[in-house]
Amino acid sequence: MSTRKPPGGPFPYPTTAEWAEHLYEAITNTCTAEGFTPVPRQAVFEALAPALGQGEAKRVIERRRDGRVLRATAYHVEQRDTDGALLVLKVDLHGAATLPWVINDRTRSAWLHPSAENQERLEDLVDRQRLVAAWTVGVERTRAARRALASTAAPAEKEAVVVAVKAAEDELARAQEELKACERALGGRRPLPVVRAVTEDGLPLAALTTEPVSAEMAVEVQRYAVDVLRRRARQRSYDLVESLVQEGQRESTVVVLQRTPVADQDGAVRYVWRGQHATGANRADARLETFGISAQQSLTGVPQSVLRLPGEEENRRLVVRGLGEILRRISALFNAEYADPGRDEEGRAQRAVRIAQVPSRVVIGARRPERLEESLRQLNVHEHLRGQLDYEDMDRSLGLWSTLVKAYQAAGLLSDLLAQEVAQGRMAAGELDEDAIADALVGARALDELAVLLTPGDEVSALTLRDLAIRCATVMVFPPVPPRPDNLAPRTPMPTGRYWPVVRAALQEASWAQANGSTAKRRTEIWAAVTAQHFLRPGPLAAAERLFGKPEVQFGVRPDARSLASMLTACRQGDAAAWEILVRRHLLPGLISGAEPFVAPNEGSFQSADRKGVRRAPTNAVQALVNAYSDPPENVTRELLLAFAEAVLRAPDSSAGDGLAPGTFWAPDAHGNPREGVLADKEWFDALFPLTSVRKTKRPQPPSAGVIGAAGRDSGGATVELDEEVPESPLARMTRLRAELASLVASSTVSAAAVAEEISRLVEAVEGAVRAREDAGAPEEPAEVQKLYVQEFGKIKTEAGRIGPLLDKATLAVMSL
C-alpha cells in the first residue's frame, strides 16, 4: 500500500485499530448487560471493523463512567423472548465487504447432505478441476509453440511439436471426461458445508465457523453457491444490479460473522473472517459484481492486478487476502476515479457510489450461540416464505419443512415423537440430542446423527440411515392422531393429540375436521421434497401426487416397528401387509428419485419423445406394484419382487458397473437374478407391472365409534382406474369445445398478426440489405443464392395461401354453431 494519503470520497476506509478496540469493548459490555453471548474479538477486528462505513464506529459507541457501551439506538433484538434471540448492531457497511451466505433457503434443494462420501466426491471434483485447468494451460502453450515454430524448422522438430500438441489435447480430453464423471457422481450438486458456532475456551460464541478445507474447496463451494443463487434470481422481473446502481440499497439486511479455516498448498491453515449475508444474499452478490470482484475472490484473495494502485508495479503472483487491505484498495481506486472531473458517467465509481455504504444488521450477540445457525436459517426461511420473490416448489416445500422441524423443537415434542413412534419406545426422549437430530433432518449435518434411532442390531450404513430419515419425515409430516374416544359426545371437537396441532400451526392449516385435498397435496409435496433430498437426482414433486390423502392427514402414518431387514424377511415369508408397507413407505422415494425413476408424474408436460414407459398416475404405478405380490402378472414372481425391492433400496449407493451408470441396476429375472443387458427402467417397469384396474383396498383408519352421518356410511366403494378411458358424451363434448372456441379465435388472431409482422420485418431486412449493397458498391449475390431465396419465399407464400380457404371454411361452419 502506498504511503501517500489516500484520496477522500464517498467510499469509506477501514476503521483504525484503536476504534476497533473501542468497538469490541462496547459490544462485550452491552452483551453482558443484555444477557447475550458476544462475538469473538478476532471477528470484530478482522471482519466487522474493516467493513464499517466512515465514522460508524464512533457513531454507535457511547462512553460511560464504567466503560464503553453501544448507544441504545444502535442495536436491537431479533426474535425477542425466544431461545433464538439475536442482538444485532445497526450500522452502515462498505458495499464490497460482505459475501452471500452459502446456507440460503431459496437454494436448499441444490445442495446435498454433508456426508463423508459426498465430501470425498467433492474433493475428487476439485482435484479434477485443477487438472483440467493445468492441461488447458498446457494445450495453449503447446499450440503457441507450434505457431511460433519457424517454417524453416527441421521436419523432426515440427513432428515433435505436433505430437506434443496431440498428447496435451488427449490429456485434456481425458481430464474433462473425468471431471464430468465427478459431476455425475454428485448429481450436479454440492454437499452443504457444516457450520457451527465458534468456540473459545470450550464456550460457544456468537459467530460461525466451517470445517477446515483447502483453498480450492472453499472457492468451489462459494462459486457454486453464487451460481445457484443467480439462477434462482433470474425469476426477478427487474435487473437487481441496475436497481442498486440507480437507487442504492434501502433495506437493512442481516449479516453474520463467519470464520473459514483455509489450508494453503504448503499445509498452513489461516482463518478467514468475513461477514456473510443471512438475508439479502442476492444483493450482496450484485454489489460485488458492481465493484468488479467475485465472492470467491473476496473470500480467499483478490489478484493484485484487479486492485493495482497507481504507481504500483503489477505482480501476477501477488494476491490481496486481508479484508482491510482489499477494502482500502477498492476505496482508494474508486475515490480517485470519482474525484476526476472528467469521470465516465458509466464508470465503476459512478455506478457504485450509491452502494458505497449499505445499511446492515450485524449479529454481535446470541442468547444460545450453539443454535446461532438455526436461528439465522429461520430468519432466512421467514423472509423467503413471506417475501415477494417467486419461490420454486421444491425450495418452498423445504422451507416449510424447516419451519415444521423448528415448530416441533419449540413445542418440546421432537424427541418425544421420534422416540415413541420411530424408535418405538426403546429409549427415553431425554436420551436424544434434539439439536443434532434437527440439524440432520434439515440437511445441516450428516445423517449419522440419526443412528441412535436404529433398531438394535441394524448396521449403520447409508441405506439404513436414509430409510430412517424417511421414516422420521413421514411421521413428522403425517403425525399419528389418537382414535376417536367411544364416549365422545356428538359434535364434540375431535381430540387430535399433541402432535397434530404443531403441524397445523406451522403449516397454517384449517381445523382437523376440515382436512381436504389441498391440505393433503401440500403435505405430500413437503414429504416428497424432503425425501428427494436423500438422492442425487431428486424427482419432481408431481411424481408423489395423491400418494397421501385425507386419511393420512387426519389420522397420520404410524411407522412399522420392524426394521428394514425384518420387513424384507416377512415379505419372503408371504406377509402381504409387510410388502405393502415396504412399497408405500420405504421403496416409494427410490421409485421416484432414482437414477432411473419408475414412478413419474401423470402430466402431459412431462411427456416427450424421450419419456420412458407409459403415462400413468403415480397411484396406479404404486398400486400395481403392491398388487403384484398377491396377484402377480405374467412372468412376475416373489423372488423377482424381492430382488427388485432390494435393488431399489441399494441403488443410490451403487457405483457404476459394466455398462451401468451409477445408481442403476440390471432387471431381475423370475429367479431374482440380474438379467445382464436388460436395464431396469420405467419402460421395463410399466411392461412388467401394467396399468391396473383392480379396486384399491381401503386405507386402514383408527376406529371412530360414534361417528354417525354421511361420513360414516359406505360411499359405494373406493375409486377404480379402468384400462380404457370412459367415452365423452356428445353434450359434454359440445360444452367443452364451445368453451375452447373463444380462446382459439383469440390466439389465431394474435398468431396471424405475428406472422404479418414477421414478414414485414423480412421485407425490411431484404430492402435494407439491397440498399447497403448499393451504397457499398458490392456485387450482387450469385444467381444460385438468389434462386434459393426465391424458392424459400415461394414456400412461405404457399403456406400463407392455405390460410384464406381455411378461414372461409370456418366462416361457413360457424354459421351453424
Side-chain angles (χ1 to χ4, degrees):
M1 184 69 187
S2 174
T3 57
R4 294 181 300 175
K5 184 178 180 180
F11 299 92
Y13 295 98
T15 304
T16 63
E18 180 183 4
W19 276 104
E21 189 69 56
H22 295 338
L23 178 63
Y24 177 67
E25 178 188 350
I27 289 174
T28 304
N29 291 337
T30 303
C31 286
T32 301
E34 296 286 345
F36 286 83
T37 303
V39 293
R41 183 176 187 275
Q42 194 177 8
V44 175
F45 274 75
E46 297 187 21
L48 177 56
L52 285 180
Q54 198 162 355
E56 283 297 288
K58 184 177 181 180
R59 183 185 65 81
V60 301
I61 295 175
E62 179 181 359
R63 185 167 186 173
R64 296 179 181 173
R65 181 176 301 176
D66 54 347
R68 292 178 176 86
V69 295
L70 296 174
R71 296 182 186 274
T73 57
Y75 68 92
H76 78 278
V77 178
E78 298 270 3
Q79 305 181 69
R80 186 181 291 275
D81 299 327
T82 68
D83 287 342
L86 304 173
L87 188 70
V88 296
L89 179 65
K90 299 184 289 185
V91 287
D92 287 345
L93 300 182
H94 193 295
T98 49
L99 308 177
W101 200 30
V102 170
I103 304 174
N104 190 289
D105 180 57
R106 290 187 71 239
T107 63
R108 181 51 70 99
S109 64
W111 297 88
L112 296 168
H113 279 272
S115 65
E117 295 82 3
N118 288 333
Q119 291 293 346
E120 291 175 2
R121 292 169 183 153
L122 179 59
E123 291 176 3
D124 291 341
L125 176 75
V126 171
D127 291 340
R128 294 300 179 274
Q129 287 177 336
R130 188 188 305 115
L131 194 60
V132 167
W135 277 114
T136 301
V137 173
V139 168
E140 290 299 324
R141 288 177 177 172
T142 55
R143 289 175 178 172
R146 182 176 60 183
R147 290 192 297 268
L149 194 65
S151 58
T152 58
E157 188 177 356
K158 292 180 179 179
E159 183 179 353
V161 171
V162 171
V163 171
V165 171
K166 180 65 168 59
E169 290 175 342
D170 290 345
E171 289 294 337
L172 175 60
R174 187 177 67 178
Q176 289 173 335
E177 285 300 319
E178 292 175 349
L179 178 60
K180 291 178 181 178
C182 291
E183 282 280 3
R184 289 193 295 269
L186 285 167
R189 299 191 286 171
R190 303 289 184 270
L192 190 70
V194 175
V195 178
R196 292 186 174 91
V198 173
T199 58
E200 291 184 359
D201 299 329
L203 298 176
L205 300 178
L208 299 175
T209 183
T210 64
E211 298 292 331
V213 293
S214 66
E216 293 84 357
M217 290 267 287
V219 166
E220 172 59 19
V221 170
Q222 189 69 56
R223 182 209 61 79
Y224 176 75
V226 171
D227 181 58
V228 175
L229 198 65
R230 289 180 176 178
R231 291 204 300 265
R232 295 288 196 273
R234 290 173 188 165
Q235 299 171 349
R236 291 181 185 270
S237 57
Y238 61 94
D239 191 311
L240 180 59
V241 173
E242 294 304 317
S243 173
L244 292 174
V245 167
Q246 299 298 330
E247 300 181 359
Q249 180 173 311
R250 301 178 180 180
E251 303 86 0
S252 176
T253 52
V254 177
V255 174
V256 61
L257 305 180
Q258 180 170 304
R259 183 183 71 186
T260 306
V262 173
D264 292 325
Q265 293 182 351
D266 59 359
V269 177
R270 55 189 175 89
Y271 295 99
V272 181
W273 282 96
R274 294 292 185 270
Q276 308 266 354
H277 274 269
T279 64
N282 293 93
R283 279 164 279 184
D285 177 51
R287 292 197 308 269
L288 289 174
E289 183 179 346
T290 305
F291 278 96
I293 62 175
S294 66
Q296 53 267 33
Q297 286 178 337
S298 179
L299 178 66
T300 59
V302 183
Q304 180 257 7
S305 57
V306 177
L307 301 177
R308 185 163 62 92
L309 297 172
E312 189 176 43
E313 183 179 352
E314 183 173 350
N315 185 349
R316 288 285 177 179
R317 301 180 63 182
L318 185 63
V319 177
V320 185
R321 286 179 171 175
L323 179 62
E325 183 63 16
I326 291 173
L327 298 181
R328 184 180 292 111
R329 286 173 175 263
I330 289 175
S331 293
L333 291 171
F334 279 57
N335 281 332
E337 181 181 338
Y338 190 77
D340 185 358
R343 67 176 181 269
D344 183 4
E345 293 300 321
E346 286 296 322
R348 296 187 306 169
Q350 183 64 37
R351 286 175 59 80
V353 68
R354 293 185 181 274
I355 51 174
Q357 300 182 60
V358 293
S360 303
R361 307 195 306 276
V362 183
V363 176
I364 57 171
R367 187 82 68 190
R368 288 187 63 198
E370 65 273 13
R371 299 303 299 160
L372 175 59
E373 181 214 0
E374 191 265 343
S375 299
L376 293 169
R377 281 204 317 265
Q378 288 307 309
L379 279 179
N380 192 269
V381 168
H382 183 271
E383 180 183 75
H384 289 136
L385 287 177
R386 306 292 181 263
Q388 297 178 357
L389 280 180
D390 289 338
Y391 217 148
E392 291 194 1
D393 293 339
M394 186 75 76
D395 293 306
R396 182 189 299 107
S397 296
L398 291 176
L400 291 171
W401 166 247
S402 180
T403 302
L404 179 59
V405 175
K406 172 66 177 177
Y408 275 115
Q409 277 189 283
L413 295 176
L414 179 60
S415 296
D416 289 348
L417 176 62
L418 298 183
Q420 184 64 35
E421 297 297 333
V422 178
Q424 299 295 322
R426 293 189 301 272
M427 62 190 66
E431 298 177 19
L432 301 179
D433 186 346
E434 188 173 272
D435 291 342
I437 289 176
D439 283 345
L441 291 174
V442 299
R445 294 197 197 180
L447 293 180
D448 300 43
E449 305 290 352
L450 303 179
V452 66
L453 296 171
L454 286 172
T455 304
D458 272 6
E459 178 188 4
V460 180
S461 64
L463 189 158
T464 55
L465 291 175
R466 182 172 55 248
D467 181 73
L468 185 60
I470 292 170
R471 290 190 190 215
C472 293
T474 305
V475 76
M476 290 174 68
V477 176
F478 303 100
V481 173
R484 185 179 180 91
D486 294 336
N487 58 352
L488 192 67
R491 301 184 182 277
T492 302
M494 169 75 176
T496 55
R498 297 188 298 164
Y499 309 124
W500 200 94
V502 175
V503 184
R504 178 193 177 187
L507 304 184
Q508 298 181 2
E509 296 177 349
S511 64
W512 183 88
Q514 297 179 34
N516 52 31
S518 61
T519 302
K521 179 180 179 182
R522 184 162 68 154
R523 288 211 201 173
T524 302
E525 287 179 346
I526 295 173
W527 178 89
V530 174
T531 57
Q533 296 312 299
H534 301 297
F535 298 85
L536 288 178
R537 302 162 190 84
L541 302 185
E545 185 177 10
R546 297 185 181 179
L547 293 176
F548 294 91
K550 182 177 177 180
E552 285 81 10
V553 171
Q554 287 198 314
F555 297 101
V557 176
R558 290 188 178 275
D560 195 282
R562 292 169 287 189
S563 67
L564 201 56
S566 301
M567 204 171 300
L568 287 168
T569 300
C571 294
R572 293 189 187 95
Q573 295 172 351
D575 189 341
W579 173 254
E580 181 165 3
I581 294 172
L582 181 69
V583 172
R584 294 189 184 278
R585 302 291 173 252
H586 304 274
L587 293 187
L588 186 54
L591 296 174
I592 294 173
S593 298
E596 284 289 342
F598 301 97
V599 177
N602 185 26
E603 296 181 7
S605 59
F606 284 89
Q607 193 164 10
S608 59
D610 59 350
R611 178 186 175 112
K612 291 186 177 181
V614 300
R615 177 181 170 184
R616 64 195 297 187
T619 51
N620 190 283
V622 173
Q623 189 66 42
L625 185 59
V626 170
N627 293 347
Y629 188 87
S630 302
D631 185 16
E634 187 178 1
N635 300 323
V636 174
T637 63
R638 289 189 179 175
E639 289 78 7
L640 183 150
L641 292 175
L642 269 297
F644 174 66
E646 292 177 350
V648 170
L649 291 170
R650 292 194 309 265
D653 310 308
S654 63
S655 57
D658 185 16
L660 283 173
T664 61
F665 55 92
W666 298 126
D669 61 15
H671 302 289
N673 301 317
R675 299 168 56 191
E676 191 167 348
V678 180
L679 180 67
D681 58 7
K682 190 173 188 301
E683 191 172 3
W684 168 84
F685 180 90
D686 289 340
L688 201 63
F689 307 103
L691 282 164
T692 178
S693 59
V694 179
R695 177 173 298 186
K696 298 178 184 178
T697 57
K698 194 171 183 180
R699 293 189 181 107
Q701 298 181 11
S704 53
V707 177
I708 302 174
R713 301 190 191 102
D714 184 4
S715 59
T719 60
V720 298
E721 187 166 349
L722 305 178
D723 293 332
E724 299 180 357
E725 295 183 355
V726 178
E728 188 178 25
S729 68
L731 181 60
R733 185 166 180 268
M734 178 198 72
T735 304
R736 176 175 58 82
L737 292 176
R738 279 184 174 180
E740 294 175 358
L741 184 58
S743 61
L744 287 174
V745 170
S747 63
S748 299
T749 303
V750 173
S751 299
V755 170
E757 184 179 353
E758 191 72 21
I759 294 176
S760 297
R761 286 200 293 267
L762 172 63
V763 174
E764 291 175 2
V766 173
E767 292 175 345
V770 171
R771 288 193 298 270
R773 182 193 62 77
E774 293 173 348
D775 293 341
E780 295 183 356
E781 286 273 25
E784 56 271 17
V785 175
Q786 296 180 0
K787 183 178 180 181
L788 287 175
Y789 278 128
V790 171
Q791 290 176 355
E792 295 296 330
F793 290 167
K795 292 179 182 178
I796 296 174
K797 187 175 181 180
T798 302
E799 292 298 326
R802 296 174 53 199
I803 297 177
L806 289 174
L807 284 175
D808 291 341
K809 187 176 181 180
T811 302
L812 291 174
V814 81
M815 301 306 295
S816 302
L817 186 62

